[in-house]
Amino acid sequence: MFNKKLQMPLYLFATLLFGLKTYIIYRFVFNISLDNMMQELILFINPFIGALFFFMLSLFFNQRRQIKFIKYGILIGSIILYFNIVFYRNFSDFITIPLLFQGSNAADLGSSVLGLIKYWDIVLFADVVIVWTVAKKYGTQITGTFTKRYKRLVLTTSVVLLVVNYGLAEMERPQLLQRTFDREYLVKNIGGVFNYLIYDAVLQSKSQAQRVFADGNELKEISDYIKDETTTDGSKEMFGIAKDKNIIFLEIESLQSFVINNTLHGEEVTPFLNDLIDDSYYFENFYHQTAQGKTSDSEFLIENSLYPSPRGAVYFTHAQNDYHSLPEIIGNNGYTSSVFHANDNSFWNRDVMYENIEYDQLYDIDSYEVTDQNSVGWGLKDKEFFKQSLKYIEKMEQPFYSKFITLTNHYPFELDPEDATLEKYDSNSKTLNNYFQTVRYTDEAIEEFFQYMKDIGLYEDSVFIIMGDHYGISDFHKKAMSQYLDKEYNDYLHVQLQKVPFYLHIPGQEGEVISKISGQIDVKPTILNLLGIDDSNDLSFGTDLFGDERKDFIALRDGSFITEEYIYSNDSCYDRQTGEVIENTIETDGEEQSACQPYVEKVQKELNYSDKIIFGDLLRFYDFADE
Ligand code: GP9
Ligand code: MN
């Protein structure tokens, strides 16, 4: 087959094999939704076009190098693809360059990664084995010295194909490259994971340049927008209600709202948190707004009321920026601030970021006694974590603001049998089956923590906030989730599953269940209002959760959004209450458009403004005291 008569040079053979494999992976491993034939076509041709472009570059080397280029090219390509698969299994997302440089985090993933690797994955390297074997057997017989004309022809064809691919993608989705918020679209339309990585590298250098070239002028437009759209009067009733009280913020790992007031095997999943609703303000339509930075993104949202970065974790990429953070503001108002988290201080670059945003103290893994017995999965068990934190809280100078970040309810949701008080779920997803048990464990840990606070006499002088940081069950577990919820899994449900619990518990107050839409972006202005701190000079994209005039949408980081009436995701507009797709259009400026369209633009504008602040480090030009 590989003799010269059949004209199957190795670069073409590798293109076909690798292209085919990549296509199969895109189609069946990554959960890429395809809406029409054009998208099917693009997804089918682009792995081959991308592979051809890469492997034909080998023609420009001498014969021996050609073989090496192809052999190592297919190996490295397969490894990159495989990393993406493993990453995707956990996050339903593709790797970006900033994430690749977060080695410190990858190293800590440990047990999580093992759970993501499957033995049959070895099949994914079949093309590598074949190409290496063929190369060994036939050596230089299957490469060749190609004429200049031939090389030029192949090069031109390949570039033309790339342009055609891009042209089709642009037709299918105009302004694709400008709108980077949707990685899935990019990956499927511009030639898969590889072109995406190149594209991402260009973006990365562009964002470095953005800071250098940014000047204060851009800020005027943004601060005007914020003053007009998001700076509203906070609730008068709640203003100052927590003044001089301690704020205890429990940031609960991977806690989603769907477990609250829900049952498994006839038992409540979260008995304590369910009861707590009765004497708390509980926001039942509160959304996380995180992206690739996961826990750190949710921290960032709370501390700054800015959106996290569309790519990578802003805790890594822009940790040196100027911010006007919650710890800094309350620090100026007499509060001591601290974070309790039993992990390395470098995880998510926290040590650097925390210092910059002026937390007074971080109690990291070195503040705890962590043994094999008292830890599981990602580390110290939550019950131990709270217990061992007591000695520090007791001595803390008051009033304080302390954030506790839990760990046990983290993927892959491991728990020692003696800690399990709920039977596992039974579905095809081990992840979801385990999840309920660790959620229950964390619920018990929170209950114990409340008791400790009463025991040491801190309860009455404190207000408590409890919030889920981000989703725990990605849409890789669609089938199992659909089974548990007894609902069809679609984009509408996916957005609804981004709800995380948000509680404000003020001892002595009854509270209420609040249904209006809300999100993590709103937490900072809410806390400031509760503390009686005037934040009208602040630049926040959120609005006080108790205020009357709230902004009318909650933007998720991928451009999806929620309004009181609609939910928008992946180009579809749904009725928020019924989940039906809204086909109706409305007329704006003589043009018919989807009912969601005006919000699509608003959301884009707001996310863009936030990105501009971060990428340009624009807050360094803003004088918070003077405005
Ligand atoms: C790590 C913990 C978990 O310190 O906050 O991070 P996550 O993986 O959820 O972003
Ligand atoms: Mn987390």
Side-chain angles (χ1 to χ4, degrees):
M1 170 170 177
F2 296 101
N3 58 28
K4 283 198 179 135
K5 253 194 223 141
L6 279 177
Q7 301 283 310
M8 179 66 112
L10 191 61
Y11 83 94
L12 267 187
F13 184 62
T15 299
L16 287 180
L17 273 185
F18 189 73
L20 184 67
K21 170 177 88 173
T22 313
Y23 172 70
I24 293 173
I25 289 173
Y26 287 166
R27 197 75 184 79
F28 303 107
V29 178
F30 295 134
N31 223 324
I32 296 181
S33 58
L34 296 171
D35 306 325
N36 54 41
M37 282 306 290
M38 182 64 123
Q39 290 189 359
E40 298 258 3
L41 176 74
I42 295 172
L43 192 77
F44 177 70
I45 59 173
N46 85 36
F48 293 97
I49 295 177
L52 176 65
F53 182 74
F54 179 78
F55 289 115
M56 69 92 204
L57 293 177
S58 68
L59 301 184
F60 298 90
F61 296 104
N62 68 29
Q63 288 202 357
R64 273 245 303 286
R65 290 230 170 108
Q66 260 179 55
I67 297 189
K68 261 202 174 142
F69 184 93
I70 295 168
K71 271 169 59 182
Y72 287 99
I74 199 163
L75 178 66
I76 293 167
S78 300
I79 293 174
I80 295 179
L81 205 51
Y82 187 64
F83 276 164
N84 264 286
I85 293 175
V86 172
F87 185 80
Y88 193 88
R89 283 185 182 142
N90 194 20
F91 299 112
S92 283
D93 199 351
F94 301 97
I95 296 178
T96 61
I97 306 252
L99 266 174
L100 284 180
F101 292 106
Q102 290 164 23
S104 56
N105 275 12
D108 276 316
L109 280 172
S111 61
S112 309
V113 167
L114 282 179
L116 298 168
I117 294 175
K118 315 224 183 295
Y119 63 90
W120 53 262
D121 287 351
I122 195 83
V123 179
L124 297 170
F125 290 87
D127 56 337
V128 180
V129 176
I130 298 175
V131 165
W132 279 58
T133 316
V134 165
K136 189 160 189 232
K137 195 149 175 217
Y138 297 96
T140 44
Q141 289 167 41
I142 46 169
T143 48
T145 38
F146 299 94
T147 62
K148 271 207 173 116
R149 211 168 138 242
Y150 180 88
K151 289 186 207 172
R152 227 180 292 134
L153 187 74
V154 179
L155 178 66
T156 321
T157 317
S158 157
V159 171
V160 167
L161 285 172
L162 279 179
V163 173
V164 169
N165 185 167
Y166 181 70
L168 290 176
E170 195 48 49
M171 263 162 65
E172 170 58 27
R173 182 85 177 184
Q175 285 196 316
L176 185 69
L177 295 189
Q178 289 87 316
R179 304 168 68 188
T180 46
F181 59 90
D182 190 334
R183 256 180 301 285
E184 185 182 310
Y185 260 103
L186 276 163
V187 167
K188 74 182 172 196
N189 284 322
I190 62 166
V193 175
F194 302 100
N195 291 357
Y196 179 71
L197 277 178
I198 295 169
Y199 166 76
D200 196 48
V202 174
L203 267 194
Q204 183 66 6
S205 46
K206 214 173 104 187
S207 88
Q208 303 291 12
Q210 255 170 334
R211 184 183 189 280
V212 178
F213 292 116
D215 57 42
N217 298 335
E218 290 168 272
L219 195 58
K220 176 83 178 72
E221 184 186 334
I222 303 175
S223 61
D224 285 351
Y225 167 86
I226 291 178
K227 298 260 138 72
D228 289 348
E229 305 286 332
T230 76
T231 311
T232 57
D233 287 338
S235 150
K236 298 236 160 28
E237 216 178 298
M238 299 298 271
F239 186 78
I241 205 164
K243 196 168 166 42
D244 296 332
K245 289 198 171 185
N246 307 312
I247 306 240
I248 295 180
F249 196 118
L250 306 185
E251 175 150 339
I252 309 298
E253 179 57 47
S254 300
L255 184 67
Q256 290 182 235
S257 297
F258 79 88
V259 291
I260 304 291
N261 274 331
N262 216 337
T263 55
L264 182 68
H265 313 305
E267 275 186 65
E268 286 179 278
V269 182
T270 54
F272 177 72
L273 287 175
N274 296 352
D275 286 351
L276 194 66
I277 293 181
D278 296 341
D279 48 10
S280 301
Y281 294 95
Y282 176 68
F283 291 79
E284 60 178 2
N285 288 307
F286 181 94
Y287 292 81
H288 84 80
Q289 293 163 297
T290 66
Q292 292 187 323
K294 305 299 290 291
T295 309
S296 68
D297 278 357
S298 77
E299 295 184 58
F300 182 78
L301 275 145
I302 304 312
E303 286 141 359
N304 300 295
S305 194
L306 297 169
Y307 293 93
S309 182
R311 305 150 32 249
V314 53
Y315 257 49
F316 271 102
T317 56
H318 295 85
Q320 310 285 2
N321 277 11
D322 263 26
Y323 294 107
H324 190 53
S325 71
L326 184 65
E328 179 188 336
I329 302 173
I330 62 174
N332 293 337
N333 283 269
Y335 272 75
T336 328
S337 57
S338 54
V339 180
F340 292 78
H341 183 48
N343 198 352
D344 293 340
N345 64 2
S346 61
F347 201 94
W348 285 131
N349 206 25
R350 284 186 174 104
D351 49 350
V352 178
M353 186 66 171
Y354 283 178
E355 173 148 7
N356 182 22
I357 60 175
E358 301 186 21
Y359 272 113
D360 296 321
Q361 179 83 35
L362 164 62
Y363 297 90
D364 67 359
I365 194 159
D366 297 333
S367 306
Y368 296 87
E369 206 175 300
V370 185
T371 63
D372 279 352
Q373 279 71 38
N374 70 12
S375 50
V376 68
W378 274 56
L380 189 62
K381 296 178 184 178
D382 292 348
K383 290 184 183 176
E384 270 297 315
F385 164 61
F386 286 131
K387 198 189 222 167
Q388 293 191 28
S389 300
L390 284 182
K391 55 178 180 288
Y392 303 114
I393 319 173
E394 266 176 331
K395 297 207 193 86
M396 190 130 0
E397 195 187 319
Q398 299 192 38
F400 59 78
Y401 167 87
S402 289
K403 175 165 75 176
F404 294 79
I405 308 173
T406 68
L407 261 188
T408 308
N409 190 43
H410 193 289
Y411 179 88
F413 311 111
E414 285 170 315
L415 198 65
D416 290 330
E418 68 266 23
D419 292 320
T421 55
L422 187 66
E423 286 286 298
K424 287 188 180 183
Y425 184 51
D426 182 20
S427 73
N428 72 342
S429 158
K430 194 169 154 219
T431 303
L432 183 63
N433 298 350
N434 288 353
Y435 181 68
F436 295 98
Q437 282 195 334
T438 48
V439 167
R440 164 65 78 79
Y441 172 83
T442 297
D443 181 74
E444 291 166 357
I446 301 171
E447 180 171 18
E448 291 186 6
F449 177 73
F450 269 71
Q451 191 52 51
Y452 294 145
M453 290 297 104
K454 290 176 183 166
D455 294 348
I456 61 173
L458 272 180
Y459 177 75
E460 299 291 339
D461 298 328
S462 310
V463 301
F464 297 81
I465 295 174
I466 303 176
M467 182 190 84
D469 62 350
H470 48 73
Y471 69 83
I473 307 295
S474 71
D475 59 7
F476 196 67
H477 307 277
K478 277 182 183 153
K479 195 161 162 224
M481 276 305 275
S482 187
Q483 176 190 331
Y484 175 71
L485 298 169
D486 194 19
K487 283 185 185 146
E488 180 201 346
Y489 200 109
N490 58 12
D491 287 335
Y492 169 79
L493 182 64
H494 174 77
V495 171
Q496 288 299 53
L497 285 173
Q498 306 315 305
K499 285 187 207 172
V500 293
F502 186 84
Y503 290 78
L504 171 66
H505 176 78
I506 307 178
Q509 285 209 18
E510 271 205 350
E512 67 181 292
V513 174
I514 298 176
S515 304
K516 61 189 165 193
I517 54 159
S518 49
Q520 292 173 330
I521 197 91
D522 301 320
V523 175
K524 178 187 179 193
T526 308
I527 294 181
L528 291 178
N529 195 62
L530 292 171
L531 290 176
I533 298 173
D534 171 28
D535 67 340
S536 47
N537 291 336
D538 200 15
L539 293 183
S540 318
F541 285 98
T543 45
D544 175 23
L545 285 167
F546 295 97
D548 294 326
E549 293 167 60
R550 290 182 31 80
K551 198 175 55 187
D552 56 355
F553 62 84
I554 294 296
L556 303 190
R557 190 56 258 202
D558 65 356
S560 305
F561 58 79
I562 301 98
T563 73
E564 291 298 336
E565 280 177 89
Y566 311 118
I567 281 189
Y568 175 87
S569 179
N570 262 334
D571 278 344
S572 293
C573 187
Y574 301 87
D575 181 309
R576 187 165 80 92
Q577 302 304 337
T578 65
E580 302 284 320
V581 175
I582 300 183
E583 305 288 357
N584 297 352
T585 53
I586 52 167
E587 210 187 293
T588 318
D589 302 332
E591 261 186 64
E592 289 288 319
Q593 48 175 221
S594 143
C596 281
Q597 193 56 36
Y599 288 103
V600 174
E601 278 145 35
K602 277 193 195 179
V603 166
Q604 273 321 304
K605 185 168 171 183
E606 185 159 310
L607 291 172
N608 260 329
Y609 278 159
S610 177
D611 291 348
K612 273 195 177 155
I613 290 185
I614 293 166
F615 294 159
D617 190 6
L618 296 184
L619 297 186
R620 68 195 148 128
F621 301 114
Y622 189 76
D623 190 342
F624 288 94
D626 255 24
E627 292 284 316

